[in-house]
Each structure stands twice: as structure tokens, then as C-alpha cells.
Amino acid sequence: FENVSFGYEDQQTIVREISFEANPDQIVALLGATGSGKSTIINLITRFYDPWQGRVMMDGIDAREIALHDLRRQIGIVLQDTRLFASSIRENIAFGKPEASDEEIIQAARDAQAHGFIEEMPNGYATLVGERGVTLSGGQKQRIAIARTILTDPRILILDDATSSVDTQTEQLIQLALTRLMQGRTTFVVAHRLSTVRQ
């Protein structure tokens, strides 16, 4: 970020002249109350919006010069509220890489600490999940979303309060999965509480 300023309305600047550099294998925590600009920074990285002034650079290239499709293929996002589709677990994991082999999908699920509970389901990876994943717990949905992200192998990873809605035991499993996922990537962790980002 080079002197980036942006707001959603002409009169109100949300982020003002922000500059920072995030390197591969580095974790950057964005911590603050609602409305402090955390999501705005994420929206600028993903190019949901472009800065009013300054530049967001990727490997020395202005992000506005990179085709949106190419840019977003390099970014993986795990949200607090995970979106799953009314299809099989396999299809949900392979959503970002539909050509993935069964071996790749299973390995991604193992890395995401999801393989165990998937194997226990009535039809394993062919088990259908309800609309928005209603048949799964919050922790199970999170781990499927992490497996999906592992499979796409992004260079930039965004974790948006990814463990805030699960119990302590599930959070430990998700933290194991996230530790695996963050290796070798530029990671942004968005959180409201300091305890979430202490690790």
C-alpha cells in the first residue's frame, strides 16, 4: 500500500494515506472495532474498490493493471460466515478448482482437519449438504471452506474473523488447519479481539 486513501462517500475518508508492505510468509493482523477500516483494506486488496489516491501494488505492479480474474485467483478468503452450496462436500471443496482430482481434494481436507468428519458422513465426500451448509456445524463448514482455499493454493490469504463463531475444541482444530494454510503465503488476519491474533 502506497499512501492509500479511500472512503465510500465523497465526504468521508475511511483510510487516509496508509502505507505498508506485506511479504510472503508474513502475517499481518488488522485489529480494531467495527468501522475502523479493516474490511476497507481487504476490499482494496481484492479490488472490490480502487483507492481514491495512492496505489495498491502486487509484486511491484499496480493492482489496477492486473486483470481482475488473474488477481482474484491469487487471493483466498476464509470468512466468519462461510458460504457453502447445496451440493456434495466434494463439489464444495473443489469449487475454486473443479478439475481437481479426488486425491487433491482428500489431501486438502486432511490439511484442513476435515477428512475425519467427512469420512464419518453417510456418503463421505458424496454427502449432500443443504443450502448454505445447514446440515453441518459451524466448525465443519469452516474446515470445508479452509480445504477449498488450500486446494486453490492462493498466494495471498485473508482470514476474516475465521474462528470467532466456534467452540474452543473446534477452534483448536481450525487453528491447526490455518497454520498449515498460512505457510508460504502473505496472510491478513482480520479480528475484533486481540486474543484472536495473539498467535
Side-chain angles (χ1 to χ4, degrees), residues 140-160:
Q140 289 172 331
K141 288 193 286 190
Q142 284 295 71
R143 284 176 279 167
I144 287 174
I146 292 167
R148 177 192 293 165
T149 305
I150 288 171
L151 192 63
T152 59
D153 195 23
R155 294 177 61 208
I156 297 169
L157 177 63
I158 296 167
L159 306 175
D160 193 349

Side-chain angles (χ1 to χ4, degrees), residues 99-133:
E99 74 281 5
S101 67
D102 286 343
E103 292 76 20
E104 288 176 301
I105 289 166
I106 290 169
Q107 187 58 52
R110 284 186 199 280
D111 290 342
Q113 308 295 312
H115 181 70
F117 80 77
I118 294 170
E119 286 282 274
E120 292 172 3
M121 301 204 118
N123 298 307
Y125 285 81
T127 301
L128 296 176
V129 299
E131 191 67 42
R132 297 188 65 190

Side-chain angles (χ1 to χ4, degrees), residues 129-187:
V129 299
E131 191 67 42
R132 297 188 65 190
V134 294
T135 57
L136 301 172
S137 73
Q140 289 172 331
K141 288 193 286 190
Q142 284 295 71
R143 284 176 279 167
I144 287 174
I146 292 167
R148 177 192 293 165
T149 305
I150 288 171
L151 192 63
T152 59
D153 195 23
R155 294 177 61 208
I156 297 169
L157 177 63
I158 296 167
L159 306 175
D160 193 349
D161 245 354
T163 62
S164 65
S165 60
V166 296
D167 61 71
T168 307
Q169 185 178 2
T170 304
E171 182 174 6
Q172 289 173 344
L173 289 171
I174 291 173
Q175 286 292 356
L176 277 172
L178 293 177
T179 299
R180 158 68 185 85
L181 178 57
M182 290 187 285
Q183 291 173 359
R185 305 179 205 283
T186 305
T187 303

Side-chain angles (χ1 to χ4, degrees), residues 1-5 18 50-56 62 64:
F1 273 51
E2 291 184 351
N3 299 313
V4 170
S5 295
I18 288 189
D50 288 323
W52 286 352
Q53 51 188 81
R55 299 187 299 174
V56 177
D62 190 321
R64 290 172 284 211

Side-chain angles (χ1 to χ4, degrees), residues 183-199:
Q183 291 173 359
R185 305 179 205 283
T186 305
T187 303
F188 293 89
V189 179
V190 179
H192 295 92
R193 299 186 312 267
L194 186 58
S195 60
T196 308
V197 296
R198 275 185 203 269
Q199 286 183 276

Side-chain angles (χ1 to χ4, degrees), residues 1-141:
F1 273 51
E2 291 184 351
N3 299 313
V4 170
S5 295
F6 176 79
Y8 297 98
E9 299 171 14
D10 290 341
Q11 312 304 320
Q12 190 175 5
T13 304
I14 304 295
V15 295
R16 187 185 311 275
E17 296 182 14
I18 288 189
S19 295
F20 67 84
E21 188 171 321
N23 296 302
D25 214 15
Q26 183 176 12
I27 300 169
V28 177
L30 302 173
L31 185 66
T34 302
S36 61
K38 303 181 305 295
S39 295
T40 299
I41 290 173
I42 298 310
N43 286 336
L44 292 167
I45 292 169
T46 53
R47 279 204 65 213
F48 291 131
Y49 298 95
D50 288 323
W52 286 352
Q53 51 188 81
R55 299 187 299 174
V56 177
M57 310 284 282
M58 308 280 181
D59 291 336
I61 301 168
D62 190 321
R64 290 172 284 211
E65 296 174 15
I66 303 170
L68 268 180
H69 178 265
D70 294 334
L71 174 75
R72 290 182 182 158
R73 281 184 59 114
Q74 301 298 322
I75 300 171
I77 303 176
V78 180
L79 301 169
Q80 176 182 351
D81 182 23
T82 300
R83 302 278 183 209
L84 295 183
F85 308 101
S87 59
S88 70
I89 289 175
R90 182 199 189 286
E91 290 168 319
N92 269 285
I93 293 173
F95 177 74
K97 189 179 177 184
E99 74 281 5
S101 67
D102 286 343
E103 292 76 20
E104 288 176 301
I105 289 166
I106 290 169
Q107 187 58 52
R110 284 186 199 280
D111 290 342
Q113 308 295 312
H115 181 70
F117 80 77
I118 294 170
E119 286 282 274
E120 292 172 3
M121 301 204 118
N123 298 307
Y125 285 81
T127 301
L128 296 176
V129 299
E131 191 67 42
R132 297 188 65 190
V134 294
T135 57
L136 301 172
S137 73
Q140 289 172 331
K141 288 193 286 190

